[in-house]
Amino acid sequence: MCQEIALLLSAGVSTDQSKLVSKEFPLAFEEENFTLKPPKLDGWMSRRAREKNTLKTVNSSEEALIKTQLKIMDIGPPLIDLYARVVAVADDTPAGVRSRRSLQAALQQWGRAYAHISRKRREAIVNATDPRVDYLLKDETVFTRGKEAREHLFTGEFLELMLKEASQDETLARRDQAAAAASRGRRNPIRMAGYGNSSGSSAPRVYGDDFEPTARGRGRGRGGHGRGVSRGRSQSRPAKRGPR
């Protein structure tokens, strides 16, 4: 048995052998339209990839991952067939219970590998079309409920989440734009301190020839107090005379 397992691990089986093995275990399910097939890519996501000019990238990743998923899917038929036969036998002995548990564990591991490929398909498609919403993929409950979740890769529930997030982003973007426009529209009160008049004109004031600014910025005329200097003249203190 060890040699047989070692050979399978190193060489596996050919594609033709795998197809023959699958044909040995035809399955018929009680639930109508239940099949073991990889989930299909949703039509709305295909259209989105076309609009984003990433359809070629999406198709390339889908082709590679689906091939792997099909190989994993081929494990299912013989495993499910054996599990159904063991469960149908009412064997509550320790050996019977152990056999059922072993098969159940094998199915769990098979499902884990299969679901992992579906997860990688979603990640590749979202990264190619809408990488900003990749965090929505963490809620895997939208991919596990109902028939649609089994047959389609994303489902309508995920589309609703995307539309909700897009609407919120658009609302926030409009609010930020309005705030930025309002901030630009405010007039700087410091710049306006030396301009304007009662009519709201922004032209600078025109003063007479005798206006001279003081250190505090207030004009003084010739008749005003203080030591203003008239335009075109210069003043200086008389020199002190020494003792005779």
Side-chain angles (χ1 to χ4, degrees), residues 115-151:
H116 175 74
I117 300 301
S118 294
R119 193 176 300 115
K120 289 299 181 182
R121 289 174 61 190
R122 295 188 195 103
E123 291 175 359
I125 294 169
V126 168
N127 288 334
T129 56
D130 293 278
R132 293 183 301 172
V133 299
D134 59 349
Y135 64 94
L136 294 177
L137 297 174
K138 296 180 180 179
D139 183 11
E140 295 191 352
T141 58
V142 300
F143 309 119
T144 58
R145 293 193 293 264
K147 178 182 176 181
E148 184 188 18
R150 187 176 67 241
E151 296 180 354

Side-chain angles (χ1 to χ4, degrees), residues 7 21 29 41-42 50 75 103 169 184 229:
L7 182 60
V21 170
F29 299 96
L41 180 61
D42 307 60
R50 188 178 296 107
I75 304 171
L103 288 171
D169 290 344
R184 290 194 300 269
V229 180

Side-chain angles (χ1 to χ4, degrees), residues 14-221:
S14 66
T15 302
D16 292 337
Q17 287 177 306
S18 178
K19 291 181 180 179
L20 291 175
V21 170
S22 296
K23 290 180 180 179
E24 292 181 36
F25 301 94
L27 299 177
F29 299 96
E30 292 182 356
E31 185 177 336
E32 187 178 359
N33 298 326
F34 184 93
T35 58
L36 297 178
K37 292 182 179 179
K40 297 181 295 184
L41 180 61
D42 307 60
W44 57 267
M45 186 58 86
S46 296
R47 291 191 296 272
R48 190 160 186 79
R50 188 178 296 107
E51 293 170 357
K52 298 278 187 174
N53 294 323
T54 57
L55 185 59
K56 184 177 181 180
T57 301
V58 168
N59 288 338
S60 178
S61 64
E62 278 286 273
E63 182 180 359
L65 290 171
I66 288 176
K67 284 183 178 180
T68 302
Q69 197 163 31
L70 287 171
K71 290 180 174 65
I72 295 174
M73 188 190 69
D74 289 340
I75 304 171
L79 194 59
I80 294 172
D81 179 81
L82 180 59
Y83 185 60
R85 294 177 186 275
V86 171
V87 171
V89 177
D91 185 0
D92 293 331
T93 63
V97 173
R98 181 64 180 176
S99 296
R100 285 196 299 272
R101 176 56 194 145
S102 296
L103 288 171
Q104 185 184 44
L107 281 169
Q108 289 172 341
Q109 300 289 21
W110 167 69
R112 176 175 180 268
Y114 186 89
H116 175 74
I117 300 301
S118 294
R119 193 176 300 115
K120 289 299 181 182
R121 289 174 61 190
R122 295 188 195 103
E123 291 175 359
I125 294 169
V126 168
N127 288 334
T129 56
D130 293 278
R132 293 183 301 172
V133 299
D134 59 349
Y135 64 94
L136 294 177
L137 297 174
K138 296 180 180 179
D139 183 11
E140 295 191 352
T141 58
V142 300
F143 309 119
T144 58
R145 293 193 293 264
K147 178 182 176 181
E148 184 188 18
R150 187 176 67 241
E151 296 180 354
H152 293 84
L153 192 60
F154 284 96
T155 75
E157 187 172 351
F158 184 79
L159 173 60
E160 292 178 0
L161 287 175
M162 288 183 61
L163 293 176
K164 180 180 178 181
E165 294 298 318
S167 177
Q168 292 177 349
D169 290 344
E170 184 178 357
T171 300
L172 292 174
R174 286 200 301 266
R175 187 192 68 179
D176 293 342
Q177 291 174 358
S183 178
R184 290 194 300 269
R186 294 195 188 99
R187 309 178 86 174
N188 191 331
I190 298 177
R191 292 184 57 190
M192 295 302 298
Y195 293 88
N197 49 37
S198 59
S199 63
S201 174
S202 60
R205 294 177 182 267
V206 178
Y207 298 95
D209 292 340
D210 59 347
F211 175 81
E212 289 295 339
T214 64
R216 294 186 179 182
R218 295 168 53 190
R220 295 182 184 273

